[in-house]
Amino acid sequence: MDAIRCEILAKGAEAVIFKEIWYGIPIVRKVRMPKAYRDPRLDRILRQRRTINEARLLYDARKLGVSVPAIMDINLDDTYIMMEYIEGVRLRDILNSMRHEEVKSIMKRVGVMVGMLHVNGIVHGDLTTSNMILTESGNIFLIDFGLGMHSDDIEDLGVDLHIFLRALESTHTQITDICFKSFLSGYERIVGNEMASRVVDKIWEIRARGRYVSPELRK
Amino acid sequence: MAIIVLGIESSAHTFGVGIARGDGRILANVYSSYIPRYGGILPREAARHHYNVAHKIVIKALKEAGLNIEDIDGIAVALGPGMGPCLRVGAFIARILAIKYSKPLIPVNHAVAHVEIARLTTNAKDPLFVYVSGGNTQIIAYSHGRYRVFGETLDIPLGNFFDTLARELGLPQPGTPYIEMLASKGKNIIELPYVVKGQDMSYSGLLTAILRKFKEGIPIEDLCLSAMEYAYAMLAEVVERALAHTQKRELVLAGGVARSKRLQRIMKLVAEEHDAIFKVVPDEYAGDNGAMIAWTGVLCLKSGITISPEDSIVRQRWRIDEVDVPWMQ
């Protein structure tokens, strides 16, 4: 086949992410790598399950109209997913230098997207601004559902938002409040006041357990 | 002169007495374990066992150390976490000794003690601990004045998972070595639930699923192999994340299940992948023992931590992250 040019975009604990050009189209190939510490047979089962899980979440999110990369191929023998390459900048890299009005509008839209996922029982699992891409046309894409799952348990949804808030606190310290407030206004509009307040209450409950708070944030 | 502390452990099936010296030497480590005739630990029966052996074990420990009770500078006791009736025996004996011989009484957290004896005997400075036993399964590291939990079981501990499984499969107790032995003869890994939620693992669903497969007639060797590989892989994944997050350079395996050879191999591989040095607590200090209480008692006493007998109530759910450890600063 005609795979041209191959570069490593990221190397995570679980997977390696390649960028490739197929027939002139840029794509992303996410390959789940074997773990030496696992029995090879179990390792295979787990990598296959997770590949399917991620593909299913991406597919379901897209069906809801949430902007996520389109899946092009999934291979369970080599445990990889091939998907659309999203051209743009990570929110992580630009949010701090944006005007507050712009930050608010972007975060509100992120809130709407996550609200759509949550109200339909999809947990992203790693909501950080590194996993949000702003395209030139002004669209926001959510990427990396590798730690995601299907669940409508308030605890799981609460953890999802807790992780997001923690990411804001550590990478967007100066604008955390503006970001999270705007995020919640969008989130609330989709899930409704009642569910939103239940999930937000859960965040504080999770934090009160203490051990989830990262050492830097513990006073 | 280095201080000398006598420590008493009685949180579960073992009544143990250890004697430790301020320079890190363990002078005595004596114990007696209650073995249920069938089923799991009955707390009241275990407590009765502890009452019956307490006197003998204390005397034996002093004899092993070649000391008189007058030579002891403090009496340390595990006040929790553990089973109430069992813990109360140790607390009772410790109070008597402290009052009768006018010695300071030192409150020790059982989990802190497992971690500290592992640190002492492996010469680790500031590691990530994997503490696995019949009563606890936690990933622990020091940060800001306390040992913090970076992941734990949401339901049953790993040792308890293996013990219960062994019992249901008709194997002797404690279950881990027998499961491991049969697992080495297993040929197939079967499909089972693998539950890691964030930084925590859950073993109860795995247990139920394996027992269902047992009734379906899957060979016991395959069940043991699968049970062990799933259970350890879940733990290893959380440990791997905790290592990446805390950036600790040492990984120490502690608690009774630390004796498992397969678990040791897995943790060694995880450590190597993250450029951490792997260490494991010696067998004699892996399970519950008095020496770990005595040694932690030494650390507490040096930091001025004591308790009055009136206040020395047992706490069945005393978490490790509720305890200040000033000696780590």
Side-chain angles (χ1 to χ4, degrees), chain A residues 12-14 34-46 48-50 125 146-147 149 151 153 155-156 159 163 166 209-219, chain B residues 143-144 148-152 154 186-194 196-197 199-200 225-226 229-230 232-233 236-237 240-241 245 262 265-267 269-270 273 319 321:
Chain A
E14 212 202 347
K35 290 278 175 198
Y37 63 76
R38 285 199 289 245
D39 176 284
R41 292 159 293 182
L42 173 60
D43 186 66
R44 193 169 175 74
I45 292 175
L46 291 180
Q48 289 182 342
R49 273 189 202 171
R50 286 170 184 191
L147 296 172
M149 59 178 166
S151 169
D153 187 345
E155 167 89 17
D156 295 328
V159 170
I163 289 168
R166 190 171 61 185
R209 292 177 204 156
R211 60 197 188 76
Y212 281 101
V213 182
S214 69
E216 314 84 76
L217 300 173
R218 222 190 290 270
K219 290 279 152 57
Chain B
S143 164
H144 292 67
R148 311 280 174 180
V149 177
F150 288 86
E152 65 190 312
L154 292 167
K187 290 192 175 61
N188 304 301
I189 297 271
I190 55 175
E191 290 264 354
L192 292 166
Y194 177 100
V196 173
K197 289 185 179 179
Q199 276 291 94
D200 300 320
L225 173 66
S226 305
E229 292 302 327
Y230 273 82
Y232 286 166
E237 180 171 357
E240 192 181 12
R241 275 191 223 147
H245 178 72
R262 176 64 183 140
R265 271 199 304 279
I266 288 173
M267 288 302 150
L269 288 168
V270 174
E273 205 165 306
R319 284 181 63 88
D321 48 15

Coordinates of all heavy atoms in Angstrom, one line a residue, chain A residues 12-14 34-46 48-50 125 146-147 149 151 153 155-156 159 163 166 209-219, chain B residues 143-144 148-152 154 186-194 196-197 199-200 225-226 229-230 232-233 236-237 240-241 245 262 265-267 269-270 273 319 321:
Chain A
G12 N 2.7 7.4 24.4 CA 2.1 7.4 25.7 C 2.5 6.1 26.4 O 3.3 5.3 25.9
A13 N 1.9 5.9 27.6 CA 2.2 4.7 28.4 C 1.6 3.5 27.7 O 2.2 2.4 27.8 CB 1.6 4.8 29.8
E14 N 0.6 3.7 27.0 CA -0.2 2.6 26.4 C 0.0 2.4 24.9 O 0.0 1.3 24.4 CB -1.6 2.8 26.7 CG -2.4 1.5 27.0 CD -3.9 1.7 26.8 OE1 -4.3 2.8 26.7 OE2 -4.5 0.7 26.6
P34 N 2.5 -3.9 23.1 CA 2.5 -5.0 24.2 C 3.2 -4.5 25.4 O 4.1 -3.7 25.4 CB 3.3 -6.1 23.5 CG 3.4 -5.8 22.1 CD 3.3 -4.3 21.9
K35 N 2.8 -5.0 26.6 CA 3.4 -4.7 27.9 C 4.2 -6.0 28.3 O 3.6 -7.0 28.4 CB 2.4 -4.4 28.9 CG 1.7 -3.1 28.7 CD 2.6 -2.0 29.2 CE 2.0 -0.6 28.9 NZ 2.9 0.4 29.1
A36 N 5.5 -5.8 28.6 CA 6.3 -6.9 29.0 C 5.8 -7.6 30.3 O 6.0 -8.8 30.5 CB 7.7 -6.5 29.1
Y37 N 5.2 -6.8 31.2 CA 4.9 -7.3 32.5 C 3.6 -8.1 32.5 O 3.2 -8.7 33.5 CB 4.8 -6.2 33.5 CG 3.8 -5.1 33.3 CD1 2.4 -5.4 33.6 CD2 4.1 -3.9 32.9 CE1 1.5 -4.4 33.4 CE2 3.2 -2.9 32.7 CZ 1.8 -3.2 33.0 OH 0.9 -2.2 32.8
R38 N 2.9 -8.1 31.4 CA 1.6 -8.9 31.3 C 1.9 -10.2 30.6 O 2.7 -10.3 29.7 CB 0.6 -8.1 30.5 CG 0.0 -7.0 31.3 CD -1.4 -6.6 30.7 NE -1.3 -5.9 29.5 CZ -1.6 -4.6 29.2 NH1 -2.1 -3.9 30.2 NH2 -1.5 -4.1 28.0
D39 N 1.2 -11.2 31.0 CA 1.2 -12.5 30.2 C 0.8 -12.1 28.8 O -0.2 -11.4 28.6 CB 0.1 -13.4 30.9 CG 0.0 -14.7 30.1 OD1 -0.6 -14.7 29.0 OD2 0.5 -15.7 30.5
P40 N 1.5 -12.6 27.8 CA 1.3 -12.2 26.4 C -0.1 -12.5 25.9 O -0.7 -11.7 25.2 CB 2.3 -13.1 25.6 CG 3.2 -13.7 26.6 CD 2.7 -13.5 28.0
R41 N -0.7 -13.6 26.4 CA -2.1 -13.9 26.0 C -3.1 -12.8 26.6 O -4.0 -12.3 25.9 CB -2.5 -15.3 26.4 CG -1.7 -16.3 25.7 CD -1.7 -17.7 26.4 NE -1.0 -17.6 27.7 CZ -0.8 -18.6 28.5 NH1 -1.3 -19.7 28.3 NH2 -0.1 -18.4 29.6
L42 N -2.9 -12.5 27.9 CA -3.8 -11.5 28.5 C -3.5 -10.2 27.9 O -4.5 -9.4 27.6 CB -3.5 -11.5 30.0 CG -4.2 -10.4 30.8 CD1 -5.7 -10.5 30.7 CD2 -3.8 -10.4 32.2
D43 N -2.3 -9.9 27.6 CA -1.9 -8.6 27.0 C -2.6 -8.4 25.7 O -3.2 -7.3 25.4 CB -0.4 -8.7 26.7 CG 0.1 -7.3 26.2 OD1 0.1 -6.4 27.0 OD2 0.6 -7.2 25.1
R44 N -2.8 -9.4 24.9 CA -3.4 -9.4 23.6 C -4.9 -9.1 23.8 O -5.5 -8.3 23.2 CB -3.2 -10.7 22.9 CG -3.6 -10.7 21.5 CD -3.1 -12.0 20.8 NE -3.6 -11.9 19.4 CZ -3.1 -11.1 18.5 NH1 -2.1 -10.3 18.8 NH2 -3.6 -11.1 17.3
I45 N -5.5 -9.9 24.8 CA -6.9 -9.7 25.1 C -7.2 -8.2 25.4 O -8.1 -7.6 24.9 CB -7.4 -10.6 26.2 CG1 -7.4 -12.1 25.8 CG2 -8.8 -10.2 26.7 CD1 -7.7 -13.0 26.9
L46 N -6.4 -7.7 26.3 CA -6.6 -6.3 26.8 C -6.4 -5.3 25.7 O -7.2 -4.4 25.6 CB -5.6 -6.0 28.0 CG -5.9 -6.8 29.3 CD1 -4.9 -6.4 30.3 CD2 -7.3 -6.5 29.8
Q48 N -6.8 -5.7 22.6 CA -7.9 -5.8 21.6 C -9.2 -5.1 22.2 O -9.8 -4.4 21.5 CB -8.2 -7.3 21.3 CG -7.1 -7.8 20.4 CD -7.4 -9.3 20.0 OE1 -8.2 -10.0 20.6 NE2 -6.7 -9.8 19.0
R49 N -9.4 -5.4 23.5 CA -10.6 -4.9 24.1 C -10.6 -3.3 24.1 O -11.5 -2.7 23.9 CB -10.7 -5.3 25.6 CG -11.4 -6.6 25.8 CD -11.6 -6.8 27.3 NE -11.7 -8.2 27.6 CZ -11.7 -8.7 28.9 NH1 -11.5 -7.8 29.9 NH2 -11.9 -9.9 29.1
R50 N -9.4 -2.8 24.4 CA -9.2 -1.4 24.5 C -9.3 -0.7 23.1 O -9.8 0.4 23.0 CB -7.9 -1.0 25.2 CG -8.0 -1.3 26.7 CD -6.8 -1.2 27.4 NE -7.0 -1.6 28.8 CZ -6.2 -1.5 29.7 NH1 -5.0 -1.0 29.5 NH2 -6.5 -1.9 31.0
G125 N -12.7 10.4 29.9 CA -11.6 9.8 30.7 C -10.3 10.5 30.8 O -9.5 10.2 31.7
G146 N -8.9 7.1 24.7 CA -8.2 5.9 25.2 C -8.6 5.5 26.6 O -8.6 4.3 26.9
L147 N -8.9 6.4 27.5 CA -9.2 6.1 28.8 C -10.7 6.2 29.1 O -11.2 6.2 30.2 CB -8.5 7.0 29.8 CG -7.0 6.9 29.8 CD1 -6.3 8.0 30.7 CD2 -6.5 5.5 30.3
M149 N -15.0 5.5 28.7 CA -15.9 4.4 28.9 C -17.3 4.8 28.7 O -17.7 6.0 28.7 CB -15.7 3.7 30.2 CG -15.9 4.7 31.4 SD -15.7 3.8 33.0 CE -15.6 5.2 34.1
S151 N -20.7 5.0 30.5 CA -21.2 5.0 31.9 C -22.1 6.2 32.1 O -21.9 7.3 31.6 CB -20.0 5.0 32.9 OG -20.5 5.3 34.2
D153 N -23.0 6.6 35.4 CA -22.8 6.7 36.9 C -22.3 8.1 37.2 O -21.3 8.5 36.6 CB -21.8 5.6 37.3 CG -21.7 5.5 38.8 OD1 -22.1 6.4 39.5 OD2 -21.1 4.5 39.3
E155 N -20.7 9.2 39.7 CA -19.3 9.1 40.1 C -18.3 9.2 39.0 O -17.4 10.0 39.0 CB -19.1 7.8 40.9 CG -17.6 7.4 41.2 CD -17.1 8.0 42.5 OE1 -17.9 8.4 43.4 OE2 -15.9 8.1 42.7
D156 N -18.6 8.4 37.9 CA -17.7 8.4 36.7 C -17.7 9.8 36.0 O -16.7 10.3 35.6 CB -18.1 7.3 35.7 CG -17.9 6.0 36.3 OD1 -17.0 5.8 37.1 OD2 -18.7 5.0 36.0
V159 N -15.7 12.2 38.2 CA -14.3 12.0 38.0 C -13.8 12.7 36.7 O -12.8 13.3 36.7 CB -13.9 10.5 38.0 CG1 -12.4 10.3 37.6 CG2 -14.1 10.0 39.4
I163 N -11.0 15.6 36.7 CA -9.8 15.6 36.0 C -9.6 16.8 35.1 O -8.5 17.4 35.0 CB -9.7 14.3 35.1 CG1 -9.6 13.0 36.0 CG2 -8.6 14.4 34.0 CD1 -9.8 11.7 35.2
R166 N -8.7 19.8 37.4 CA -7.3 19.6 37.8 C -6.4 20.1 36.7 O -5.3 20.7 36.9 CB -7.1 18.2 38.2 CG -5.7 18.0 39.0 CD -5.6 16.7 39.6 NE -5.7 15.6 38.5 CZ -5.7 14.3 38.8 NH1 -5.6 13.9 40.0 NH2 -5.7 13.4 37.8
R209 N -12.0 13.5 49.4 CA -11.3 12.3 49.8 C -9.8 12.5 49.9 O -9.1 11.6 50.3 CB -11.7 11.2 48.8 CG -13.1 10.8 48.8 CD -13.4 9.7 47.8 NE -14.8 9.7 47.4 CZ -15.2 9.3 46.2 NH1 -14.4 8.8 45.3 NH2 -16.5 9.3 46.0
G210 N -9.4 13.6 49.3 CA -8.0 14.1 49.6 C -7.0 13.4 48.7 O -6.2 14.1 48.1
R211 N -7.0 12.1 48.7 CA -5.9 11.4 48.0 C -5.9 11.7 46.5 O -4.9 11.4 45.9 CB -6.0 9.9 48.3 CG -7.2 9.3 47.8 CD -7.4 8.0 48.5 NE -8.5 7.3 47.8 CZ -8.5 6.7 46.7 NH1 -7.4 6.7 46.0 NH2 -9.5 6.1 46.2
Y212 N -7.0 12.2 45.9 CA -6.9 12.4 44.5 C -6.2 13.8 44.2 O -5.8 14.0 43.0 CB -8.3 12.5 43.9 CG -8.9 11.1 43.7 CD1 -9.8 10.6 44.6 CD2 -8.6 10.4 42.6 CE1 -10.4 9.4 44.5 CE2 -9.1 9.1 42.5 CZ -10.0 8.6 43.4 OH -10.5 7.4 43.2
V213 N -6.1 14.6 45.2 CA -5.5 15.9 44.9 C -4.0 15.8 44.7 O -3.3 15.1 45.5 CB -5.8 16.9 46.1 CG1 -5.3 18.3 45.8 CG2 -7.3 17.0 46.3
S214 N -3.5 16.3 43.7 CA -2.1 16.2 43.4 C -1.3 17.0 44.4 O -1.8 18.0 45.0 CB -1.8 16.7 42.0 OG -1.9 18.0 41.9
P215 N -0.1 16.5 44.7 CA 0.7 17.1 45.8 C 0.9 18.6 45.7 O 0.9 19.3 46.6 CB 2.1 16.4 45.7 CG 1.8 15.1 45.0 CD 0.6 15.4 44.1
E216 N 1.1 19.1 44.4 CA 1.3 20.5 44.2 C 0.1 21.3 44.7 O 0.2 22.5 45.1 CB 1.5 20.9 42.7 CG 2.5 20.0 42.0 CD 1.8 18.8 41.5 OE1 1.1 18.8 40.5 OE2 2.0 17.7 42.1
L217 N -1.1 20.8 44.6 CA -2.3 21.5 44.9 C -2.7 21.4 46.3 O -3.6 22.1 46.8 CB -3.5 21.0 44.0 CG -3.2 21.2 42.5 CD1 -4.3 20.5 41.7 CD2 -3.1 22.6 42.1
R218 N -2.1 20.5 47.0 CA -2.4 20.3 48.4 C -1.8 21.3 49.3 O -0.6 21.6 49.2 CB -1.9 18.9 48.9 CG -2.9 18.1 49.7 CD -2.2 17.0 50.3 NE -1.9 15.9 49.3 CZ -2.7 14.9 49.0 NH1 -3.9 14.9 49.6 NH2 -2.4 14.1 48.1
K219 N -2.6 22.0 50.1 CA -2.0 23.1 50.9 C -1.9 22.6 52.3 O -2.8 21.9 52.8 CB -2.9 24.3 50.8 CG -2.9 25.0 49.5 CD -1.7 25.9 49.3 CE -1.3 26.0 47.9 NZ -2.3 26.5 47.0
Chain B
S143 N 4.5 12.1 50.6 CA 4.4 13.4 50.0 C 3.8 14.3 51.1 O 2.8 14.1 51.7 CB 3.5 13.4 48.8 OG 3.0 14.7 48.5
H144 N 4.5 15.4 51.3 CA 4.0 16.5 52.2 C 3.6 15.9 53.6 O 2.4 16.1 54.0 CB 2.9 17.3 51.6 CG 3.3 18.1 50.5 ND1 3.8 17.6 49.3 CD2 3.4 19.4 50.3 CE1 4.1 18.6 48.5 NE2 3.9 19.7 49.1
R148 N 0.8 8.9 51.2 CA -0.4 9.2 50.5 C -0.8 7.9 49.7 O 0.1 7.2 49.2 CB -0.3 10.3 49.5 CG 0.3 11.6 50.1 CD -0.7 12.4 50.9 NE -0.1 13.5 51.6 CZ -0.8 14.3 52.4 NH1 -2.0 14.2 52.6 NH2 -0.1 15.3 53.0
V149 N -2.1 7.8 49.4 CA -2.5 6.6 48.6 C -2.7 7.0 47.2 O -3.5 7.9 46.9 CB -3.8 6.0 49.2 CG1 -4.3 4.9 48.4 CG2 -3.6 5.6 50.7
F150 N -2.0 6.4 46.3 CA -2.0 6.7 44.9 C -2.8 5.6 44.1 O -2.7 5.5 42.8 CB -0.6 6.9 44.3 CG 0.0 8.2 44.7 CD1 0.7 8.2 45.9 CD2 -0.1 9.3 44.0 CE1 1.3 9.4 46.4 CE2 0.4 10.5 44.4 CZ 1.1 10.5 45.6
G151 N -3.6 4.9 44.8 CA -4.4 3.8 44.1 C -4.7 2.7 45.1 O -3.8 2.5 46.0
E152 N -5.8 2.1 45.1 CA -6.2 1.1 46.0 C -7.3 0.2 45.5 O -8.0 0.6 44.5 CB -6.5 1.7 47.4 CG -7.8 2.5 47.4 CD -7.9 3.3 48.7 OE1 -7.7 2.6 49.8 OE2 -8.2 4.5 48.7
L154 N -11.1 -1.1 45.4 CA -12.3 -0.5 45.8 C -13.2 -1.4 46.6 O -14.1 -1.0 47.2 CB -13.1 -0.1 44.5 CG -12.5 1.0 43.6 CD1 -13.2 1.1 42.3 CD2 -12.7 2.4 44.4
G186 N -1.2 -24.0 34.5 CA -2.3 -23.6 33.6 C -1.9 -23.4 32.2 O -0.7 -23.1 31.9
K187 N -2.8 -23.6 31.2 CA -2.4 -23.5 29.8 C -3.1 -22.4 29.1 O -2.6 -21.7 28.2 CB -2.8 -24.8 29.1 CG -1.9 -25.9 29.5 CD -2.0 -27.2 28.6 CE -1.0 -28.2 29.0 NZ -1.2 -28.7 30.4
N188 N -4.4 -22.1 29.5 CA -5.1 -21.1 28.8 C -5.6 -19.9 29.7 O -5.9 -20.1 30.9 CB -6.4 -21.7 28.2 CG -6.1 -22.9 27.4 OD1 -5.4 -22.8 26.4 ND2 -6.6 -24.1 27.8
I189 N -5.5 -18.7 29.1 CA -6.1 -17.5 29.8 C -7.5 -17.4 29.3 O -7.8 -17.4 28.1 CB -5.3 -16.3 29.3 CG1 -3.8 -16.4 29.8 CG2 -6.0 -15.0 29.9 CD1 -3.6 -15.9 31.2
I190 N -8.5 -17.3 30.2 CA -9.9 -17.2 29.8 C -10.3 -15.8 29.9 O -9.7 -14.9 30.5 CB -10.8 -18.1 30.7 CG1 -10.6 -17.8 32.2 CG2 -10.5 -19.6 30.4 CD1 -11.5 -18.5 33.1
E191 N -11.4 -15.5 29.2 CA -11.9 -14.1 29.2 C -12.6 -13.8 30.5 O -13.6 -14.5 30.9 CB -13.0 -13.9 28.0 CG -12.3 -14.0 26.7 CD -12.0 -12.6 26.1 OE1 -12.4 -11.6 26.7 OE2 -11.4 -12.5 25.0
L192 N -12.2 -12.7 31.2 CA -12.7 -12.3 32.5 C -12.8 -10.8 32.5 O -12.1 -10.1 31.8 CB -11.8 -12.8 33.6 CG -11.7 -14.4 33.8 CD1 -10.6 -14.7 34.7 CD2 -13.0 -14.9 34.4
P193 N -13.6 -10.3 33.5 CA -13.6 -8.8 33.6 C -12.3 -8.2 34.2 O -11.7 -8.8 35.1 CB -14.8 -8.6 34.6 CG -15.0 -9.9 35.3 CD -14.5 -10.9 34.4
Y194 N -11.9 -7.1 33.6 CA -10.7 -6.5 34.0 C -11.1 -5.1 34.4 O -11.5 -4.3 33.6 CB -9.7 -6.4 32.8 CG -8.4 -5.7 33.1 CD1 -7.2 -6.4 33.3 CD2 -8.3 -4.3 33.0 CE1 -6.1 -5.7 33.5 CE2 -7.2 -3.6 33.2 CZ -6.0 -4.4 33.4 OH -4.8 -3.7 33.6
V196 N -10.2 -1.6 36.1 CA -9.4 -0.5 36.7 C -10.2 0.8 36.5 O -10.6 1.1 35.3 CB -8.1 -0.4 36.0 CG1 -7.3 0.8 36.5 CG2 -7.2 -1.6 36.3
K197 N -10.5 1.5 37.6 CA -11.3 2.8 37.5 C -10.3 3.9 37.9 O -10.1 4.0 39.1 CB -12.5 2.7 38.3 CG -13.6 1.8 37.8 CD -14.9 2.0 38.7 CE -16.0 1.1 38.1 NZ -17.2 1.2 38.9
Q199 N -7.5 5.3 39.3 CA -6.3 4.8 39.9 C -6.6 3.6 40.8 O -5.8 3.2 41.7 CB -5.6 5.9 40.7 CG -4.7 6.7 39.9 CD -3.4 6.0 39.5 OE1 -3.4 5.4 38.4 NE2 -2.4 5.9 40.3
D200 N -7.9 3.1 40.7 CA -8.3 2.1 41.7 C -8.6 0.8 40.9 O -9.1 0.8 39.8 CB -9.5 2.5 42.5 CG -9.1 3.8 43.3 OD1 -8.0 3.8 43.9 OD2 -10.0 4.7 43.4
L225 N -4.5 -19.6 36.8 CA -3.6 -18.8 35.9 C -4.3 -17.5 35.5 O -3.7 -16.5 35.7 CB -3.2 -19.7 34.7 CG -2.4 -18.9 33.6 CD1 -1.1 -18.5 34.1 CD2 -2.3 -19.7 32.3
S226 N -5.5 -17.6 35.1 CA -6.2 -16.4 34.7 C -6.5 -15.5 35.8 O -6.3 -14.3 35.7 CB -7.6 -16.8 34.1 OG -7.3 -17.8 33.0
E229 N -3.1 -13.7 36.7 CA -2.7 -12.8 35.7 C -3.5 -11.5 35.6 O -3.0 -10.4 35.4 CB -2.5 -13.5 34.3 CG -1.4 -14.5 34.2 CD 0.0 -14.0 34.5 OE1 0.2 -12.8 34.2 OE2 0.8 -14.7 35.1
Y230 N -4.9 -11.7 35.6 CA -5.8 -10.6 35.6 C -5.5 -9.7 36.8 O -5.4 -8.5 36.7 CB -7.2 -11.0 35.6 CG -7.8 -11.3 34.2 CD1 -7.6 -12.5 33.6 CD2 -8.5 -10.3 33.5 CE1 -8.1 -12.7 32.3 CE2 -9.0 -10.5 32.3 CZ -8.8 -11.7 31.6 OH -9.3 -12.0 30.4
Y232 N -3.0 -9.4 38.9 CA -1.7 -8.8 39.0 C -1.6 -7.7 37.9 O -1.0 -6.7 38.1 CB -0.6 -9.8 38.9 CG -0.3 -10.6 40.1 CD1 0.4 -11.8 40.1 CD2 -0.9 -10.3 41.3 CE1 0.7 -12.6 41.2 CE2 -0.7 -11.1 42.5 CZ 0.1 -12.2 42.4 OH 0.3 -13.0 43.5
A233 N -2.1 -8.0 36.7 CA -2.0 -7.0 35.7 C -2.8 -5.7 36.0 O -2.3 -4.6 35.7 CB -2.6 -7.6 34.4
A236 N -0.6 -3.9 38.4 CA 0.6 -3.4 37.7 C 0.3 -2.2 36.9 O 1.1 -1.2 36.8 CB 1.2 -4.5 36.8
E237 N -0.8 -2.1 36.3 CA -1.2 -1.0 35.5 C -1.3 0.3 36.3 O -0.8 1.4 36.0 CB -2.5 -1.2 34.8 CG -2.9 0.0 33.9 CD -4.1 -0.3 33.0 OE1 -4.6 -1.4 33.0 OE2 -4.5 0.7 32.3
E240 N 2.2 1.3 37.5 CA 2.9 2.0 36.4 C 2.5 3.5 36.3 O 3.3 4.3 36.2 CB 2.6 1.3 35.1 CG 3.5 1.7 34.0 CD 3.2 1.0 32.6 OE1 2.1 0.4 32.5 OE2 4.0 1.2 31.7
R241 N 1.2 3.7 36.4 CA 0.7 5.1 36.3 C 1.2 5.9 37.5 O 1.6 7.1 37.4 CB -0.8 5.2 36.3 CG -1.4 5.0 34.9 CD -2.8 5.3 35.0 NE -3.6 4.4 34.2 CZ -4.8 3.9 34.4 NH1 -5.4 4.4 35.5 NH2 -5.3 3.1 33.7
H245 N 3.5 9.2 37.6 CA 3.0 10.4 38.2 C 3.9 10.9 39.4 O 4.2 12.1 39.4 CB 1.6 10.2 38.8 CG 1.0 11.4 39.5 ND1 0.6 12.5 38.8 CD2 0.8 11.6 40.8 CE1 0.1 13.3 39.7 NE2 0.3 12.8 40.9
R262 N 5.6 -14.6 41.2 CA 5.1 -14.1 40.0 C 4.9 -12.6 40.1 O 5.2 -11.8 39.2 CB 3.7 -14.8 39.6 CG 3.0 -14.2 38.4 CD 3.9 -14.4 37.1 NE 3.2 -13.8 35.9 CZ 3.8 -13.1 35.0 NH1 5.1 -13.0 35.0 NH2 3.1 -12.6 34.0
R265 N 8.2 -10.8 39.9 CA 8.7 -10.7 38.6 C 8.0 -9.5 37.8 O 8.6 -8.8 37.1 CB 8.5 -12.0 37.8 CG 9.7 -13.0 37.9 CD 9.7 -14.0 36.8 NE 8.4 -14.8 36.8 CZ 8.1 -15.8 37.6 NH1 9.0 -16.2 38.5 NH2 7.0 -16.4 37.5
I266 N 6.6 -9.5 38.0 CA 5.9 -8.5 37.3 C 6.3 -7.1 37.7 O 6.5 -6.2 36.9 CB 4.3 -8.7 37.6 CG1 3.9 -9.9 36.8 CG2 3.5 -7.4 37.1 CD1 2.4 -10.3 37.1
M267 N 6.4 -6.9 39.0 CA 6.8 -5.6 39.6 C 8.2 -5.1 39.1 O 8.5 -4.0 38.9 CB 6.6 -5.5 41.1 CG 5.2 -5.5 41.6 SD 4.3 -4.1 40.9 CE 2.6 -4.8 40.8
L269 N 9.6 -5.9 36.3 CA 9.4 -5.5 34.9 C 8.8 -4.0 34.8 O 9.3 -3.2 34.1 CB 8.6 -6.4 34.1 CG 9.2 -7.8 33.8 CD1 8.2 -8.8 33.2 CD2 10.3 -7.6 32.7
V270 N 7.8 -3.8 35.7 CA 7.2 -2.5 35.7 C 8.3 -1.4 36.1 O 8.4 -0.4 35.5 CB 6.0 -2.4 36.7 CG1 5.5 -1.0 36.8 CG2 4.9 -3.3 36.2
E273 N 10.8 -0.7 33.4 CA 10.3 0.1 32.3 C 10.3 1.6 32.7 O 10.3 2.5 31.8 CB 8.9 -0.3 32.0 CG 8.4 0.0 30.6 CD 7.2 -0.7 30.2 OE1 7.2 -2.0 30.3 OE2 6.2 -0.1 29.8
R319 N -6.9 4.9 58.3 CA -6.2 5.0 57.0 C -4.7 5.5 57.2 O -4.5 6.3 58.0 CB -6.9 5.9 56.0 CG -8.2 5.2 55.4 CD -8.8 6.2 54.5 NE -8.0 6.5 53.3 CZ -7.9 5.7 52.2 NH1 -8.7 4.6 52.1 NH2 -7.1 6.1 51.2
D321 N -3.2 7.4 55.2 CA -3.0 8.9 54.9 C -3.6 9.8 56.0 O -3.7 11.0 55.8 CB -3.6 9.2 53.5 CG -5.0 8.6 53.3 OD1 -5.6 8.2 54.3 OD2 -5.4 8.6 52.1

